Amino acid sequence: MIVQRTIKLTWFIRIDGGNVLFYILYGYFVCALHLIYFIEYLTFPAAEISVFGIAVAILLGFRNNEAYNRYWEARTAWGDLTNASRNFATQITAYIHPPNKQEVSEVASIHSELIYRHLAYLNALRLQLRQEITWDELKPLLSDREFQAISQAVNKATVLNHWQSQRLRELYQSGWVERQAYIYGLMESIKAFYAAQGTCERIKSTPLPRQYGFFTKAFVWVFILLLPFAIVQQLGWGMLPIYVVLATIFTVTERIGSLTEEPFSGGFVDVAMSAICRNIEIDLRQQLGESSIPAPLEVKDGVLM
């Protein structure tokens, strides 16, 4: 996620640098062609091209609005995970207590087990959404047996949340949790995790309908290729800088929409899931009363991952 207010030149080059070079060469070619041959039938009426440009702009606006809606829904899902995680940790420390004095020494370890498994769940979901190939980040959060077992799972986040629900049921059946707290508290939190996870998976697995992206890009390029022929008669060589600026505006806008519609791609416009997971870890470990707390992730080159 870009958090810097100004856009770096390197980001712009990554987004549309190659196209700008093409516009300069293509605009120069059209100007030279018009100057040398002055072929009138190669030009187009400016009024008609401007109407076409307005239609393309409307289509771009619709597509980019839908792309932003996908991004915001993804960010909202991770906001829900943050709130539910804090509530879950509070429920664990408030609701889970030993049924007799002989088991008091086990309270801290059970609280830590549940919260660390939940942290593993959040990080597993993040890694799945970004399609990472390594899972070593989960190892410090799970027992050796659980880590070995989770390595074989297809949907690791779902399995971890399922294990969590099984462990809570064991604690309920052993008398560690009261019925009301178990059914209407802890299990409701598990349900909230699944709901947010499902939202993220739906966004990841269901792209914006490809016809929108294809035809939007196609119409943008048709407009860009026709534009210099519509303004070269009036402006001559002065057309070149104006054409480069106008074409860049359209393709940058189209490219931003294309990037934004994939909020879990792992790129620099991604939802900052790593930072969110770290912030949740900080909150939950503080709720456990731990003194050794990791620092929040820092912004690197204007980007927070």
Side-chain angles (χ1 to χ4, degrees):
M1 179 179 69
I2 298 175
V3 296
Q4 186 171 297
R5 289 184 178 273
T6 56
I7 300 298
K8 291 186 175 183
L9 179 61
T10 54
W11 297 342
F12 175 77
I13 292 174
R14 289 172 63 182
I15 293 173
D16 209 46
N19 289 336
V20 173
L21 179 60
F22 169 78
Y23 304 147
I24 295 173
L25 297 175
Y26 182 69
Y28 182 87
F29 169 76
V30 173
C31 287
L33 188 68
H34 178 73
L35 179 65
I36 295 172
Y37 296 104
F38 197 74
I39 303 175
E40 190 171 343
Y41 65 79
L42 285 179
T43 60
F44 298 94
E48 282 76 358
I49 294 297
S50 64
V51 172
F52 182 38
I54 292 172
V56 173
I58 293 172
L59 183 60
L60 268 176
F62 170 77
R63 184 270 183 89
N64 284 15
N65 183 65
E66 293 304 308
Y68 181 77
N69 287 340
R70 286 170 56 84
Y71 175 87
W72 187 245
E73 186 179 12
R75 182 59 185 89
T76 300
W78 275 90
D80 293 340
L81 281 170
T82 300
N83 296 335
S85 296
R86 291 167 177 160
N87 184 55
F88 184 59
T90 299
Q91 291 173 338
I92 288 173
T93 56
Y95 295 160
I96 299 178
H97 293 290
N100 53 66
K101 294 181 178 180
Q102 286 75 20
E103 298 172 306
V104 171
S105 59
E106 299 179 30
V107 174
S109 63
I110 291 176
H111 289 178
S112 296
E113 171 200 341
L114 293 169
I115 287 179
Y116 273 65
R117 186 181 294 115
H118 179 65
L119 293 175
Y121 161 77
L122 294 172
N123 284 280
L125 178 59
R126 168 178 61 86
L127 294 171
Q128 286 178 191
L129 293 172
R130 287 180 174 165
Q131 297 180 324
E132 300 283 351
I133 59 175
T134 177
W135 302 90
D136 292 341
E137 293 182 50
L138 306 183
K139 197 167 187 177
L141 303 171
L142 300 169
S143 66
D144 292 338
R145 180 184 60 80
E146 287 181 328
F147 182 75
Q148 293 299 325
I150 202 64
S151 300
Q152 309 301 320
V154 176
N155 191 322
K156 295 174 174 57
T158 297
V159 171
L160 284 168
N161 213 30
H162 177 64
W163 288 350
Q164 194 81 296
S165 66
Q166 287 183 320
R167 181 61 171 139
L168 291 172
R169 184 183 61 188
E170 291 174 1
L171 292 170
Y172 166 64
Q173 292 174 342
S174 301
W176 282 71
V177 186
E178 294 182 2
R179 184 175 184 276
Q180 293 290 102
Y182 171 69
I183 296 176
Y184 301 109
L186 294 165
M187 294 309 295
E188 284 298 313
S189 294
I190 296 293
K191 181 180 177 181
F193 300 145
Y194 275 132
Q197 177 186 341
T199 298
C200 294
E201 290 174 340
R202 171 172 52 79
I203 294 171
K204 179 67 176 180
S205 62
T206 309
L208 190 69
R210 294 306 186 194
Q211 57 268 30
Y212 289 119
F214 175 81
F215 285 109
T216 299
K217 189 170 186 176
F219 292 150
V220 165
W221 276 100
V222 170
F223 172 73
I224 287 171
L225 294 176
L226 294 179
L227 179 60
F229 292 100
I231 59 179
V232 67
Q233 275 190 324
Q234 291 81 13
L235 302 177
W237 285 101
M239 175 273 292
L240 185 57
I242 295 176
Y243 167 65
V244 172
V245 171
L246 289 175
T248 300
I249 290 173
F250 273 84
T251 52
V252 165
T253 304
E254 188 278 329
R255 182 62 177 152
I256 289 173
S258 178
L259 293 172
T260 305
E261 73 181 51
E262 300 293 345
F264 302 132
S265 62
F268 61 100
V269 296
D270 203 3
V271 171
M273 293 185 290
S274 297
I276 294 172
C277 287
R278 176 60 62 85
N279 291 337
I280 295 174
E281 180 180 357
I282 292 171
D283 290 343
L284 268 56
R285 292 178 66 173
Q286 285 178 335
Q287 287 178 275
L288 281 176
E290 295 184 2
S291 56
S292 178
I293 305 296
L297 291 185
E298 297 181 357
V299 176
K300 294 183 179 180
D301 296 326
V303 176
L304 186 64
M305 293 301 293

